[in-house]
Amino acid sequence: MDIAINQDIVIVGAGLAGLTTALGLHRLGLKCVVLESSDRLRVTGHALTLWSNAWRALDAVGVGDNLRQRSARILGFKIASHRSSLPVPDADIDFDKVEVRCVRRKDLLETLENELPQGVIRYSSKVVSIEESEDFKLIHLSDGLVVRTKALIGCDGVNSKVAKWLGLQSPVQTGRSAIRGFVDYPNGHGFEPKFHTYFGGGLRCGFIPCDDRSIYWFCTFRQSDFEPYDENEQNPLEMKQFVLNSILNAPKQISDVIERTELDCITYVPLKFRLPWNVLFGNIVKDNVCVAGDALHPMPPDIGQGGCSSLEDGVVLAKCIGHALLAKSTANVKDGDDEHLRKIGKGLKNYSRQRRWRSFSLISTAYVVGLVQESDSMVMSFLRKTFLSKLTIGTVVRMADYDCGKLV
């Protein structure tokens, strides 16, 4: 067996949670390695809506202001319903107290990556299997190399191998899907920096400016309404036409944005989530192994917290591990392997305590809000128009009112 690396902390996956955790550890003076299966940073996904909790997390690792310079602050909502051409009254939200911005995923990931020392991320390192060797974990890679570690952190997405090792059940289908796109306007788009959202016919569609020249749009709907023959060979023209045909009663500005989108900037994905009670009662931490980000709490996008909560995870996890490892050892105990393992285990248990209920709440809320937003019944449409839109938006804001704290 060829052991290529002995590393105290190994992170699997160079996504939002993985890179934020690595950067948080780096800020605390702790070394780690990030194993990424791709040969480069995966920047697919167009853009992310980042709420106040995400900006607090980004500030904690020192990159918030860098990203603020490249994104417009969102100042409100414009909501329309398919049962009326008139807009739904705006939710009573003070956007001076709520920081919301739409950020290109590429910008976010590259900003986190650029703050890490060279060599922390090991690309083309696909995990094949995980095994135990006494108190250590052996991570077998597809190229035959093996990484030996005291702590294994799974940030490897919805189909996480680390989550499977922990015994967590696989995420399940929500019965809904999403088509998303990104549009560049070289001469400026002229839209207000607001959420422009439309509900109707069992779907939700809308767009958000990232800055003065780019817009991110989304459409979520019943999975049975549109299912590509092969997810791996998507037809963007077919996806685009489906969205346009589905929003004939929407404000024209929404269809104009979608019409303008280049085909290579459109993606489709079925929406999955981890059953909330699996997070509440399952092993999210065991034997110095844990999960974070989508490996922990995949959820529907309806409260905009998938990426935000991954950033939270990264800061909380780095802080819990850092505080445990940097704490003074008990009297007459040297910081050998046993003491290191004990400290890491203590830090991960603290992380579990802080993130288990938070993850449960986020998944549950996202699922319920999605059902409310996309129901096509006459009664639900009336209730949504009269007061539920305000209620759900208020819920979204409350879920974003979370502070992961500073690293030190």
Side-chain angles (χ1 to χ4, degrees):
M1 183 170 57
D2 185 6
I3 297 180
I5 304 173
N6 280 285
Q7 183 70 48
D8 284 352
I9 304 169
V10 171
I11 299 167
V12 180
L16 293 181
L19 294 181
T20 306
T21 304
L23 183 54
L25 292 170
H26 171 63
R27 299 290 195 222
L28 292 170
L30 298 171
K31 294 181 180 180
C32 68
V33 66
V34 180
L35 303 177
E36 169 55 47
S37 60
S38 297
D39 61 357
R40 68 194 70 180
L41 203 61
R42 285 189 282 187
V43 294
T44 56
H46 303 312
L48 294 162
T49 304
L50 300 182
W51 290 77
S52 301
N53 54 323
W55 290 105
R56 290 167 186 150
L58 291 170
D59 286 337
V61 293
V63 298
D65 287 341
N66 183 320
L67 290 161
R68 286 184 179 93
Q69 295 173 11
R70 290 178 276 174
S71 57
R73 186 162 182 168
I74 302 302
L75 301 177
F77 286 87
K78 282 198 170 182
I79 306 171
S81 168
H82 78 305
R83 298 196 183 276
S84 171
S85 59
L86 297 176
V88 177
D90 285 346
D92 185 18
I93 297 172
D94 185 353
F95 275 85
D96 289 334
K97 298 180 179 179
V98 178
E99 183 173 10
V100 192
R101 300 170 187 268
C102 190
V103 176
R104 296 185 191 222
R105 183 178 177 85
K106 180 176 184 291
D107 289 346
L108 177 52
L109 289 174
E110 288 180 350
T111 298
L112 292 168
E113 180 192 38
N114 291 339
E115 292 293 314
L116 289 169
Q118 194 74 22
V120 168
I121 306 174
R122 294 177 60 93
Y123 291 106
S124 301
S125 298
K126 182 179 180 180
V127 175
V128 174
S129 63
I130 304 163
E131 67 174 310
E132 295 185 86
S133 176
E134 297 179 342
D135 292 325
F136 297 84
K137 302 297 176 290
L138 301 180
I139 307 163
H140 295 260
L141 305 181
S142 59
D143 60 4
L145 299 179
V146 179
V147 182
R148 181 174 182 263
T149 186
K150 298 175 183 176
L152 174 59
I153 300 169
C155 301
D156 46 342
V158 175
N159 300 312
S160 168
K161 280 187 168 59
V162 180
K164 290 179 182 177
W165 187 89
L166 286 168
L168 291 172
Q169 297 172 12
S170 297
V172 299
Q173 300 281 355
T174 63
R176 297 161 55 222
S177 297
I179 294 175
R180 301 176 174 117
F182 193 85
V183 193
D184 281 314
Y185 290 74
N187 299 318
H189 51 68
F191 291 112
E192 293 180 278
K194 293 185 176 182
F195 286 96
H196 300 258
T197 307
Y198 163 79
F199 300 95
L203 60 77
R204 181 174 65 106
C205 189
F207 66 87
I208 313 167
C210 292
D211 51 36
D212 293 338
R213 297 187 179 186
S214 61
I215 284 178
Y216 165 68
W217 63 264
F218 59 88
C219 181
T220 57
F221 49 88
R222 293 181 295 250
Q223 192 168 353
S224 58
D225 290 345
F226 178 85
E227 294 184 87
Y229 179 74
D230 184 349
E231 285 181 29
N232 297 319
E233 295 183 10
Q234 299 180 6
N235 184 334
L237 179 59
E238 184 182 3
M239 293 186 278
K240 182 177 183 177
Q241 197 57 54
F242 165 77
V243 176
L244 290 171
N245 290 341
S246 301
I247 58 169
L248 296 177
N249 295 323
K252 189 174 185 302
Q253 60 185 8
I254 295 180
S255 57
D256 286 346
V257 168
I258 295 166
E259 187 68 62
R260 186 185 179 97
T261 310
E262 298 291 339
L263 295 181
D264 60 356
C265 293
I266 300 176
T267 58
Y268 164 90
V269 63
L271 300 177
K272 297 181 180 182
F273 74 118
R274 191 177 301 288
L275 295 173
W277 46 89
N278 191 217
V279 171
L280 200 57
F281 301 112
N283 290 321
I284 66 174
V285 171
K286 184 180 73 172
D287 298 334
N288 283 14
V289 178
C290 75
V291 281
D294 282 344
L296 168 59
H297 46 57
M299 68 186 79
D302 305 280
I303 60 173
Q305 280 296 321
C308 299
S309 55
S310 294
L311 296 170
E312 285 181 13
D313 289 344
V315 173
V316 174
L317 183 50
K319 181 167 56 174
C320 288
I321 293 174
H323 288 187
L325 284 176
L326 298 173
K328 291 183 178 179
S329 299
T330 55
N332 301 319
V333 176
K334 295 181 179 180
D335 255 4
D337 282 345
D338 288 345
E339 182 67 1
H340 257 226
L341 287 163
R342 185 192 68 80
K343 285 185 173 183
I344 290 172
K346 180 180 179 181
L348 293 183
K349 287 179 182 177
N350 188 16
Y351 164 77
S352 175
R353 284 192 293 269
Q354 293 189 46
R355 299 309 293 171
R356 189 184 295 276
W357 183 255
R358 171 70 172 163
S359 299
F360 172 85
S361 301
L362 287 166
I363 297 171
S364 304
T365 302
Y367 185 77
V368 171
V369 168
L371 291 179
V372 170
Q373 289 180 332
E374 294 187 17
S375 172
D376 195 31
S377 71
M378 292 285 290
V379 173
M380 185 61 76
S381 295
F382 172 76
L383 293 175
R384 186 170 57 227
K385 182 181 176 183
T386 53
F387 78 93
L388 282 180
S389 286
K390 289 186 177 182
L391 181 63
T392 54
I393 291 171
T395 300
V396 170
V397 173
R398 284 193 296 276
M399 294 307 294
D401 187 19
Y402 177 92
D403 191 347
C404 60
K406 301 183 185 301
L407 286 174
V408 291

